Amino acid sequence: MHVTADDGRNEFVESFASKTIKVNDPEAPRPVTAFAIRSRAAGFEVRWKPSPSPSVESYAILYTKETDAGHFEGVHSVLASETGAIVDGLVPGQPYLVTVLAHDKQGRVSEGSEVLRVVPTPGIGRTPPRILSKPDIDAVEIGRAHV
């Protein structure tokens, strides 16, 4: 990654890095204050409390199949008037990491909210258990033994 930074106050700087460089923007919108997520058959439903910043124009729901939240490959956007979204078309049984960002009218982006993990499953996350072994016929019941 090649970055050129000029804030108009400090000396011109060029930098090269192989990792993501995070730049703090004090005028960026504040992040959403809380969010919750619920699994769906092939996706998830997410709800949040809005950012307290008045200039928010939209929210972006970011998600990834990666185990590290450093890179999100999926994006679902909604208007600032929305406080929830449904993301479908994902792989059932595949874990995803999810976060929500606020965007303002000037194109600035908030810090990410917390990152939550969800696994799309049928039955809104209530996947029934599967028995993987045969019953133990020598098991002891309360008060008597099986023979």
Side-chain angles (χ1 to χ4, degrees):
M1 171 189 286
H2 174 253
V3 175
T4 302
D6 182 7
D7 64 3
R9 292 179 285 182
N10 297 303
E11 187 175 327
F12 178 79
V13 175
E14 281 194 58
S15 180
F16 297 89
S18 61
K19 294 185 177 185
T20 301
I21 298 173
K22 185 177 177 181
V23 178
N24 183 24
D25 182 353
E27 295 181 14
R30 296 189 45 213
V32 300
T33 55
F35 83 102
I37 196 163
R38 183 168 63 169
S39 175
R40 293 172 53 90
F44 58 86
E45 178 179 1
V46 60
R47 298 216 169 272
W48 59 88
K49 289 186 178 178
S51 165
S53 300
S55 63
V56 172
E57 186 173 61
S58 65
Y59 293 100
I61 298 92
L62 306 179
Y63 54 95
T64 183
K65 293 185 278 189
E66 300 296 323
T67 56
D68 177 15
H71 173 72
F72 292 94
E73 67 259 5
V75 179
H76 181 86
S77 296
V78 297
L79 296 174
S81 58
E82 302 292 325
T83 57
I86 293 175
V87 176
D88 279 324
L90 303 179
V91 179
Q94 168 68 52
Y96 290 87
L97 298 177
V98 181
T99 193
V100 179
L101 303 176
H103 291 257
D104 71 8
K105 296 172 178 122
Q106 289 75 34
R108 296 179 294 232
V109 180
S110 73
E111 296 276 331
S113 56
E114 63 184 313
V115 175
L116 297 181
R117 182 177 181 268
V118 65
V119 180
T121 53
I124 310 175
R126 295 185 192 98
T127 305
R130 295 185 322 187
I131 297 173
L132 301 176
S133 61
K134 293 182 180 180
D136 183 357
I137 59 171
D138 295 325
V140 176
E141 252 186 51
I142 297 175
R144 62 183 186 163
H146 288 277
V147 266

